[in-house]
Amino acid sequence: MDRFIIHGGQRLEGEIAIGGAKNAGLKLMVAGLLTSERLVLSNVPQIADIATMKDLLVQHGIAVDPVDGSTRTLSIGGDIASVEAPYDIVSKMRASILVLGPLLARAHEARVSLPGGCAIGTRPVDMHLKGLEALGADIRLEGGYINASAPGGLKGDRIVLPFASVGATENLVMAATLARGRTEIINAAREPEIGDLVVCLNAMGARITGAGTGTLVIDGVDALHGAHHRIMADRIECGTYACAAGITGGDLRLVGGRISDLGAVVRALEEAGVEVIGEEDAIRVRRTGPLRGIDIMTEPYPGFPTDMQAQFMALLSVAEGASMITETIFENRFMHVPELSRMGARINVHGSSAIIRGVRKLSGAPVMATDLRASFSLILAALVAEGETVLSRIYHLDRGYEGVDSKLAAVGARIERVGD
């Protein structure tokens, strides 16, 4: 099992290319289930979750060409040969639940294992299931599987989500593209990745309006066709490397990042003393003064993203004064706190809030990754810690970040990937 060895104290300076968004690319691959024609995606990130989704689509009988390393393109298409998404694949990745809606829409039946992924909370799928039932699906839970059928096809309806769930919104909007009549999704999630999915679906012949608002309107069509679509830049990767510039007092140009996608992350960086400048094809992030403590609460977009919470905790652990982070999305997303504390961070957790009292320095230590985003929070801490940090279980990191060691080394970090 690989691990990272990191020697802290280096100021980061230079350019980092931001890849395609994991949280968009996975859903766009699933959209390939909605047509027998070829869906060609470009700017595909080369990460473990993309490979897992490829395995799942192949399980359904869909042809998936390998990612072209030079053009970063991926071609998907074919007839559905199996409607079962088995446990051994679904257990690796939460996003696998998103095949449920497209399978129902196109094949009128599905058997999908209840999902796995990072152990950051329960993340129930009840909103997915209730929404699909509103569209006419019959759903039964048996033996750890979701068994769903819609013999006559799905039909449009008005669905009010009790919470602006990203996954439920994506599942339902894909299902509704082939449903009869009009579907309205009220309190829909507004994340940029959903907008990217809608752009792709409309290019495939869907009729969807309202992306970026709390109401999506989908007029069902008889069939979708192939299309070409470029995956948006990964705003979480961009925000993560912005924190790397901030915590090291560095100056990074994040090529491909868009300041409009970062929203509340930009405001939080600026409040903490990190300068963020939008350029034509990049975002420049630099810090010339001290870091300042701030308060953050995670919220659905356009609020502060839960996927940036761990990275900011590392950043604020060396800021002047006290900070508070309140997590409102997932109940188990402070598992990185004990590992940061091993490095000298002063963090106290009280229920859903963490109080961070900034320290002048962190110290290198053996630490262990607990989930995808927590992995990078420990890398950030290691970049400024005195001495050597050994980060194990980095397979979590490989699920969502591409080439971390090479990207960081290219801008001045002392980081090495080694095997046992």
Side-chain angles (χ1 to χ4, degrees), residues 7 9 41 49 68 89 102 114 117 163 167 174 208 223 226 228 266 268 278 309 340 366:
H7 294 269
L41 302 174
D49 274 8
D68 186 302
I89 298 178
L114 289 166
F163 175 79
M174 285 191 283
I208 308 167
H228 286 70
V266 172
Q309 178 257 107
L340 288 172

Side-chain angles (χ1 to χ4, degrees), residues 7-163:
H7 294 269
Q10 307 302 308
R11 179 178 183 269
L12 302 188
E13 187 173 5
E15 291 189 352
I16 292 178
I18 302 302
K22 164 183 126 49
N23 289 338
L26 294 173
K27 305 7 170 351
L28 291 162
M29 290 177 71
V30 172
L33 286 168
L34 292 166
T35 178
S36 60
E37 298 183 15
R38 304 299 283 182
L39 172 62
V40 180
L41 302 174
S42 60
N43 199 32
V44 179
Q46 293 185 302
I47 55 177
D49 274 8
I50 292 291
T52 300
M53 184 59 77
K54 175 187 173 182
D55 291 343
L56 182 56
L57 293 178
V58 169
Q59 157 73 25
H60 293 306
I62 304 300
V64 183
D65 294 342
V67 177
D68 186 302
S70 58
T71 63
R72 297 299 180 93
T73 57
L74 182 69
S75 179
I76 303 165
D79 294 326
I80 295 172
S82 170
V83 296
E84 179 167 336
Y87 173 76
D88 62 334
I89 298 178
V90 177
S91 62
K92 299 177 183 178
M93 185 178 62
R94 181 78 185 176
S96 304
I97 188 67
L98 293 178
V99 302
L100 181 59
L103 287 173
L104 270 172
R106 187 166 160 217
H108 299 171
E109 61 177 326
R111 175 175 162 79
V112 179
S113 171
L114 289 166
C118 286
I120 56 175
T122 55
R123 298 194 286 184
V125 298
D126 58 318
M127 279 187 280
H128 300 244
L129 306 186
K130 290 177 182 177
L132 291 170
E133 285 178 329
L135 297 179
D138 176 65
I139 294 176
R140 292 169 289 110
L141 300 181
E142 296 175 343
Y145 276 79
I146 302 164
N147 295 297
S149 62
L154 300 173
K155 54 179 186 275
D157 202 345
R158 186 174 187 270
I159 301 169
V160 180
L161 296 177
F163 175 79

Side-chain angles (χ1 to χ4, degrees), residues 160-176:
V160 180
L161 296 177
F163 175 79
S165 163
V166 174
T169 299
E170 291 165 334
N171 222 337
L172 296 173
V173 75
M174 285 191 283

